[in-house]
Amino acid sequence: MAPTTLGPIQRKFAPWDDPSEVPLVRFENVTKRFGDFVAVDNLSIDIYPREFFALLGPSGCGKTTLLRMLAGFEQPTEGRILLDGQDVSKVPPYRRPVNMMFQSYALFPHMTVEANIAFGLKQDRVPKPEIEARVAEMLKLVRLEQFGKRKPHQLSGGQRQRVALARSLAKKPKLLLLDEPLAALDKKLREATQFELTDLQQELGLTFLIVTHDQEEAMTVADRIAVMDHGVMVQVATPAEIYEQPNSRYVADFIGDVNLIEGRVAAIDGARVEIAPSGIDARFEVAEAPDTAVDDTVWLALRPEKIAVSMEPPDDASVNCVSGEVWDIAYLGDLSIYHVRLASGITVKSAQTNVTRLIERPITWEDKVYLSWTRDAGVALIR
Amino acid sequence: MTERPSLFNIVSVVFGFAFLYLPILLLIIYSFNESRLVTVWAGFSTKWYVQMINNEGLMNAAWVTARVAFVSATIATVLGTLAAIVLIRFGRFRGRTLFSGMIYAPLVMPEVITGLSLLLLFVAINLDRGFWTVVIAHITFSMCFAAVVVQSRLVSFDTSLEEAAMDLGCPPARAFFSVTLPVIMPAVISAWMLSFTLSLDDLVIASFTTGPGATTLPMKIYSQVRLGVTPEINAVCSVLIAVVTVGVLAASIVTKRREVERQRAERAAIAGN
Ligand SMILES: Nc1ncnc2c1ncn2[C@@H]1O[C@H](COP(=O)(O)OP(=O)(O)O)[C@@H](O)[C@H]1O
Ligand SMILES: [Mg+2]
């Protein structure tokens, strides 16, 4: 299913495009090996103040390792990590102005909720009245005012998650690291908390670095997303760019649903590129095909919602069109997904919004249909 | 699912328990015997308990035993906990196998050998035998039990708790005392209780390593029994049994109640969500 939200793309906030901005965190060619195993591979990123940055990737791709290096629990094998321009490799975890919300929450089981939240402040010898005020503020922030005297085991999963968040926010760190903070919650609670998190981050004006394997979550909360694969950073961009201009098949496939049609570059005419798809006697035009030359193998990445299905070929000759046979139809209520088999044997998905209430669909199984899309609907990918 | 136990099962359970507990029961009953003769019942009396309290030698021995057990259990628990931490936390350091082997060897070492070798050591370094030699001997053999108990708890201890403490600005040593130790405390207390009981009823090692003025209760009882079992000894043993029983029951009730409370609180939390 295609993601329903594209994140806060309306916000005019793009420090990464401004060369005068100084990053808060900078990973410089960081590599981390465990024995022979490379968990993080020559990775560089800049994260800017007040940014909500998401690290997205499948389980085991090195996301937690990256966070742990930033928090100070692991040392990079090669490369440097700069925080506010300072190399932090010699700084132990308890002296870094960074706090982390653990994947397992790691609440202290023998302390009350209040004591858990106050723990970090006590380490800094903050005066008692101030600690009390800050704890009360944090409890209010995560709406747990009535639960201050409880122990963690007397709380539900969602409440524990909020205590963990409050504890990691209590010291108002420059940078908050969140390791799959919502993974243990059910879907409804997770979606509600995602919006709470973005609100909180804007309200407090802090920098958040969140790790997740859930692409919808990353799209919902983040200003920018870094997509990782086996310790390698594949693409760093805003959610909309990641979705609309993926730089590889891996990213296109990881974020949302995509059709990948293999072909060969037949002609290049300025910005217009013609692709000859394998096994089909047709030419597809794309407006965007960076770094390609004639005869390169490319994959045309097309999102299902950008392909129209019709019984007749489109009148406009400038749109791309190909015929096929309806193989399957998945009715999802709001959408219908048509699986159309092309002459080359591959199946292409097209998502049509069900704008009218039709009990009988005009297009049905085994119909011969035409798929069409505009020149700028797809991207040609070379890897 | 429960099957009715067969007659054979019932009989064997009854015999088994009778074999274990009948002697203890008899011992307690005869400690209240009026007669001096251990095997002849002559009516109820508590005079042997009075006589026991007035027996200075016996009371001294009891006091020595209590002190030895307390001091050795405390030191053994501290050392055992440290050993357990080293084994669990420091990964595969050089000589780890040797280290763990050396910690656990006393677990399987015959007591006579432990006692004898310690005696030889004390003689060789010319240490005056007495209270402290018994304490040292008891530490060496109960420390490994303490280490086993604490280690089994540390295996399941979530190290991210310590990391969370450090992340919040707590240096490692303080993180240990304010987070790790409180969480593993029940295991540390069990380790202490185990060491205490082990020291309380040790006869062999104490006999080898003791000196003048440091006779422990088991040694005293043993030497008196060789002259014939008196109802007084029965009284002492009954008191010991009572102390141990009350201790074990109290510990298990506390654990059980805490567990029940925790489960109830968890259920309430889930229901109230
Ligand atoms: N301490 C470690 N020793 C050896 N391998 C590790 C260690 N920590 C992580 N790894 C390995 O590094 C890889 C990345 O782990 P991790 O960063 O936890 O992934 P993610 O958080 O993305 O799921 C995994 O394959 C994991 O097995
Ligand atoms: Mg992880």
Side-chain angles (χ1 to χ4, degrees):
Chain A
M1 212 185 78
T4 46
T5 18
L6 274 183
I9 47 172
Q10 315 83 351
R11 251 206 302 165
K12 279 263 180 308
F13 174 76
W16 48 88
D17 287 335
D18 181 352
S20 69
E21 284 278 347
V22 184
L24 177 65
V25 179
R26 163 166 272 178
F27 283 86
E28 261 181 22
N29 307 96
V30 172
T31 296
K32 176 71 188 175
R33 291 194 200 94
F34 295 109
D36 288 340
F37 181 79
V38 184
V40 173
D41 194 358
N42 193 20
L43 178 145
S44 303
I45 354 171
D46 287 344
I47 300 171
Y48 292 87
R50 305 168 73 90
E51 193 177 354
F52 202 136
F53 195 95
L55 275 175
L56 178 63
S59 201
C61 74
K63 306 181 298 290
T64 299
T65 306
L66 205 62
L67 279 201
R68 289 173 61 80
M69 284 195 281
L70 199 45
F73 300 124
E74 306 279 1
Q75 288 295 328
T77 318
E78 281 160 31
R80 295 199 302 167
I81 299 174
L82 305 179
L83 198 66
D84 248 352
Q86 301 286 311
D87 188 346
V88 288
S89 60
K90 297 276 182 312
V91 185
Y94 51 92
R95 295 233 182 78
R96 295 194 185 192
V98 167
N99 284 142
M100 175 148 162
M101 181 179 160
F102 287 73
Q103 196 164 358
S104 61
Y105 304 155
L107 297 177
F108 306 132
H110 58 297
M111 295 184 194
T112 61
V113 168
E114 281 175 355
N116 264 284
I117 297 174
F119 189 87
L121 300 168
K122 277 196 187 133
Q123 305 309 317
D124 287 358
R125 306 252 151 77
V126 176
K128 213 165 173 206
E130 206 174 307
I131 293 186
E132 278 167 15
R134 189 80 70 84
V135 169
E137 181 193 340
M138 285 301 142
L139 283 174
K140 186 149 169 277
L141 192 70
V142 295
R143 302 196 313 267
L144 285 174
E145 291 100 322
Q146 283 102 55
F147 298 93
K149 297 278 183 275
R150 292 223 192 155
K151 294 273 184 70
H153 65 81
Q154 295 167 312
L155 300 174
S156 69
Q159 291 165 339
R160 273 180 228 179
Q161 174 261 326
R162 303 214 299 273
V163 177
L165 183 63
R167 186 179 69 179
S168 53
L169 278 174
K171 292 177 81 170
K172 305 241 162 95
K174 277 186 191 165
L175 173 65
L176 181 66
L177 310 174
L178 303 120
D179 194 355
E180 313 229 2
L182 312 179
L185 306 184
D186 59 57
K187 192 166 160 42
K188 262 226 162 75
L189 198 53
R190 196 163 62 223
E191 284 173 358
T193 318
Q194 283 164 5
F195 287 105
E196 279 175 30
L197 271 184
T198 42
D199 288 350
L200 209 62
Q201 189 257 348
Q202 303 228 319
E203 203 175 301
L204 301 175
L206 302 176
T207 312
F208 279 21
L209 171 53
I210 191 174
V211 154
T212 176
H213 64 262
D214 177 349
Q215 47 110 354
E216 277 189 55
E217 183 166 299
M219 301 282 265
T220 310
V221 298
D223 293 315
R224 275 195 307 162
I225 298 175
V227 183
M228 282 179 75
D229 178 24
H230 287 98
V232 179
M233 187 68 60
V234 189
Q235 188 173 12
V236 185
T238 63
E241 283 165 355
I242 292 258
Y243 187 78
E244 304 292 358
Q245 293 158 8
N247 69 358
S248 60
R249 283 179 290 156
Y250 178 81
V251 173
D253 203 28
F254 196 77
I255 312 278
D257 212 347
V258 74
N259 295 299
L260 292 166
I261 303 169
E262 197 180 333
R264 197 174 44 79
V265 176
I268 299 179
D269 174 13
R272 255 177 50 191
V273 176
E274 264 187 32
I275 297 171
S278 1
I280 308 170
D281 185 20
R283 285 280 192 277
F284 299 151
E285 274 184 20
V286 275
E288 233 171 313
D291 308 325
T292 47
V294 174
D295 257 3
D296 279 357
T297 301
V298 290
W299 287 268
L300 178 61
L302 272 174
R303 300 288 182 189
E305 75 277 6
K306 297 194 170 63
I307 303 177
V309 188
S310 54
M311 301 293 281
E312 304 295 327
D315 300 333
D316 186 354
S318 71
V319 300
N320 295 300
C321 179
V322 67
S323 66
E325 185 185 320
V326 177
W327 192 259
D328 201 359
I329 304 172
Y331 176 71
L332 305 177
D334 52 347
L335 298 173
S336 291
I337 313 283
Y338 294 84
H339 296 249
V340 177
R341 183 152 292 197
L342 305 186
S344 63
I346 66 160
T347 309
V348 171
K349 281 188 269 184
S350 157
Q352 302 294 307
T353 316
N354 295 324
V355 282
T356 51
R357 270 184 78 224
L358 277 183
I359 305 301
E360 289 283 324
R361 272 184 301 266
I363 298 172
T364 183
W365 277 263
E366 289 172 26
D367 277 355
K368 184 172 165 59
V369 291
Y370 293 91
L371 297 175
S372 55
W373 62 92
T374 59
R375 271 176 45 207
D376 46 15
V379 233
L381 305 172
I382 51 171
R383 57 184 168 121
Chain B
M1 289 302 278
T2 47
E3 248 176 77
R4 270 171 62 96
S6 70
L7 188 65
F8 175 77
N9 283 351
I10 295 173
V11 169
S12 33
V13 167
V14 168
F15 265 102
F17 277 120
F19 192 74
L20 280 174
Y21 290 105
L22 214 52
I24 295 176
L25 195 66
L26 279 178
L27 184 145
I28 295 170
I29 291 171
Y30 277 108
S31 73
F32 293 105
N33 195 353
E34 172 76 44
S35 161
R36 205 183 158 78
L37 294 167
V38 176
T39 45
V40 183
W41 181 256
F44 181 83
S45 152
T46 52
K47 70 175 186 191
W48 300 113
Y49 285 87
V50 177
Q51 195 172 323
M52 169 192 85
I53 287 168
N54 292 330
N55 183 335
E56 207 176 311
L58 217 51
M59 284 298 106
N60 274 342
W63 179 231
V64 167
T65 303
R67 271 160 51 219
V68 167
F70 184 85
V71 175
S72 67
T74 307
I75 299 176
T77 306
V78 172
L79 294 178
T81 305
L82 289 177
I85 290 167
V86 169
L87 283 176
I88 295 292
R89 288 299 167 74
F90 288 71
R92 316 229 117 252
F93 55 90
R94 268 171 75 112
R96 184 184 189 277
T97 317
L98 184 66
F99 182 71
S100 69
M102 274 161 58
I103 284 179
Y104 295 135
L107 218 56
V108 289
M109 191 82 78
E111 285 189 332
V112 180
I113 294 178
T114 311
L116 185 62
S117 53
L118 280 165
L119 172 64
L120 293 177
L121 174 76
F122 294 144
V123 170
I125 64 173
N126 214 358
L127 197 63
D128 282 340
R129 271 162 294 136
F131 178 80
W132 286 106
T133 47
V134 181
V135 168
I136 292 170
H138 280 185
I139 291 170
T140 52
F141 86 92
S142 54
M143 189 190 90
C144 57
F145 289 92
V148 172
V149 172
V150 176
Q151 196 188 5
S152 66
R153 175 65 187 86
L154 272 179
V155 167
S156 64
F157 178 82
D158 182 5
T159 44
S160 66
L161 288 182
E162 256 174 37
E163 288 179 346
M166 281 193 260
D167 187 63
L168 292 164
C170 191
R174 207 189 316 152
F176 176 79
F177 284 107
S178 56
V179 173
T180 314
L181 196 58
V183 173
I184 63 165
M185 205 34 139
V188 174
I189 291 174
S190 310
W192 188 89
M193 281 177 28
L194 182 63
S195 309
F196 188 84
T197 345
L198 284 171
S199 165
L200 210 60
D201 72 13
D202 165 68
L203 171 66
V204 177
I205 293 174
S207 310
F208 274 105
T209 54
T210 191
T215 308
T216 64
L217 194 56
M219 289 165 62
K220 189 81 186 169
I221 293 171
Y222 186 68
S223 63
Q224 285 206 2
V225 166
R226 275 191 303 185
L227 307 175
V229 179
T230 61
E232 197 181 350
I233 293 295
N234 284 352
V236 177
C237 295
S238 303
V239 170
L240 262 180
I241 290 166
V243 168
V244 171
T245 312
V246 168
V248 170
L249 279 184
S252 65
I253 286 172
V254 168
T255 330
K256 183 85 194 158
R257 180 172 301 166
R258 198 179 295 165
E259 181 66 17
V260 169
E261 250 171 39
R262 201 177 57 87
Q263 281 176 358
R264 192 185 303 143
E266 251 163 37
R267 247 178 284 125
I270 289 161
N273 179 34

